[in-house]
Amino acid sequence: AQKVTQAQTEISVVEKEDVTLDCVYETRDTTYYLFWYKQPPSGELVFLIRRNSFDEQNEISGRYSWNFQKSTSSFNFTITASQVVDSAVYFCALTLSGGGADGLTFGKGTHLIIQP
Amino acid sequence: KAGVTQTPRYLIKTRGQQVTLSCSPISGHRSVSWYQQTPGQGLQFLFEYFSETQRNKGNFPGRFSGRQFSNSRSEMNVSTLELGDSALYLCASSLKAGAVTDTQYFGPGTRLTVL
């Protein structure tokens, strides 16, 4: 069975600092998809990025960037020049291609606190 | 375009009762998935419906069931409620079936408290 580990339960930084959220995954499949979602206090999960296992290119979107490394089974997320509005719980998730349960397997989440 | 809507947003029930939660997907989306979020277990996949058929089901007891209507709206039912069913229930919709083939967009959730 697949597994996603987010070892950082909570991170607190001061505004404008850069912060990296770690995500390590386990799966025996060669084809899979990785995701990051943000959950603000309102509760709704907000989609940030989706990446398939064959695309190891890093991605940058504004202040957000993602580093995917199959060699270490990691899909880390960096926020540059953090802002108070970035405060939320961030979830990394994995899903497999093929048959079986197609639902997302989530990590436990990292609670990010950005202090003004 | 309106997002995923869930009703009610908050619900309080007592043990042994049953509850029905509703989810309206984004217009045009035909897949609806349900997840349970608790502090202890985190986010767990319950089941997915596509074109009124259950495609997949997570590891939950038969007390948890659902259905999807022809307009893609979905309902989730939990019978004989237990204290451990207290959770945030999130619904997600996507155009195509499965988190593999399409990105899922989530609603705000229904907070269920079982007393």
Side-chain angles (χ1 to χ4, degrees):
Chain A
Q2 60 271 22
K3 183 180 177 182
V4 176
T5 301
Q6 295 180 255
Q8 304 150 310
T9 305
E10 184 175 290
I11 299 175
S12 180
V13 300
V14 177
E15 199 173 19
K16 297 183 184 176
E17 285 186 15
D18 298 348
V19 58
T20 295
L21 309 182
D22 298 333
C23 172
V24 174
Y25 60 92
E26 295 175 31
T27 178
R28 292 182 179 179
D29 282 47
T30 56
T31 304
Y32 49 89
Y33 293 78
L34 295 163
F35 301 78
W36 276 95
Y37 282 88
K38 172 183 179 179
Q39 187 176 42
S42 60
E44 182 175 340
L45 283 170
V46 178
F47 167 76
L48 295 177
I49 189 171
R50 164 190 162 111
R51 177 55 53 87
N52 75 56
S53 54
F54 297 109
D55 182 4
E56 287 193 71
Q57 272 195 323
N58 293 330
E59 181 154 341
I60 298 174
S61 176
R63 296 183 297 106
Y64 295 171
S65 63
W66 290 268
N67 183 286
F68 177 30
Q69 292 195 342
K70 285 179 77 171
S71 60
T72 56
S73 297
S74 65
F75 186 43
N76 296 336
F77 172 34
T78 297
I79 301 175
T80 303
S82 60
Q83 300 176 0
V84 173
V85 293
D86 296 327
S87 297
V89 180
Y90 290 84
F91 291 94
C92 180
L94 166 76
T95 192
L96 306 178
S97 67
D102 272 346
L104 293 165
T105 297
F106 285 90
K108 294 292 188 185
T110 297
H111 185 197
L112 178 62
I113 301 167
I114 309 297
Q115 299 178 12
Chain B
K1 197 182 238 188
V4 178
T5 58
Q6 292 186 246
T7 57
R9 292 293 311 279
Y10 302 91
L11 206 49
I12 299 176
K13 292 286 187 179
T14 56
R15 279 181 298 175
Q17 287 187 310
Q18 77 166 20
V19 67
T20 299
L21 313 181
S22 179
C23 172
S24 293
I26 292 171
S27 178
H29 284 195
R30 295 169 61 194
S31 170
V32 173
S33 295
W34 289 89
Y35 292 82
Q36 181 197 64
Q37 185 176 23
T38 60
Q41 299 300 316
L43 278 154
Q44 293 182 287
F45 171 70
L46 279 157
F47 31 63
E48 180 195 8
Y49 286 86
F50 181 79
S51 294
E52 302 177 63
T53 302
Q54 185 180 92
R55 287 189 72 248
N56 293 299
K57 184 175 169 65
N59 190 24
F60 278 82
R63 300 185 298 107
F64 291 82
S65 63
R67 58 177 176 168
Q68 186 180 35
F69 302 94
S70 58
N71 63 358
S72 295
R73 189 178 70 85
S74 176
E75 288 182 347
M76 189 193 95
N77 185 75
V78 187
S79 63
T80 319
L81 283 166
E82 300 176 359
L83 294 179
D85 297 332
S86 294
L88 179 67
Y89 289 89
L90 291 161
C91 163
S93 80
S94 58
L95 271 170
K96 296 176 248 183
V100 169
T101 53
D102 199 14
T103 297
Q104 296 182 340
Y105 296 90
F106 285 78
T110 293
R111 174 77 61 186
L112 172 64
T113 302
V114 181
L115 301 176

